[in-house]
Amino acid sequence: MATAPKTGGIHAPVTPSPELGAIVGTAPLPRSQVISKVWDHIKKNNLQNPANKREILADDKLKKVFGTDKVTMFEMNKHISKHVKA
């Protein structure tokens, strides 16, 4: 028996703000993909603090989303939530 694709919660498409769209693209994406693309950006640009890997050092694009120079990975989702619309 085939299962229906998941469409709610973390799988529901959200529309990124222009600031977040500069990192993840402007097309609606599931929240899980938004987080994944933000992490891709963090890793590609070496933005984790080498002394504390839980801390993200924001570049110019991420500063527009986070509103600050650095956040912990636990705070990151709170800031991203402000930049997506269901």
Side-chain angles (χ1 to χ4, degrees), residues 1-63:
M1 179 178 229
T3 57
K6 295 178 180 172
T7 57
I10 196 166
H11 303 287
V14 293
T15 304
S17 68
E19 296 82 6
L20 184 57
I23 298 166
V24 303
T26 56
L29 293 165
R31 191 178 297 266
S32 58
Q33 281 296 102
V34 171
I35 300 299
S36 180
K37 287 185 177 224
V38 169
W39 270 109
D40 289 345
H41 177 81
I42 290 166
K43 290 176 182 173
K44 182 176 120 188
N45 294 289
N46 200 27
L47 299 176
Q48 279 183 280
N49 181 348
N52 179 358
K53 293 285 193 186
R54 292 178 291 183
E55 193 171 68
I56 310 304
L57 306 173
D59 62 3
D60 289 340
K61 288 181 179 180
L62 283 174
K63 280 180 192 174

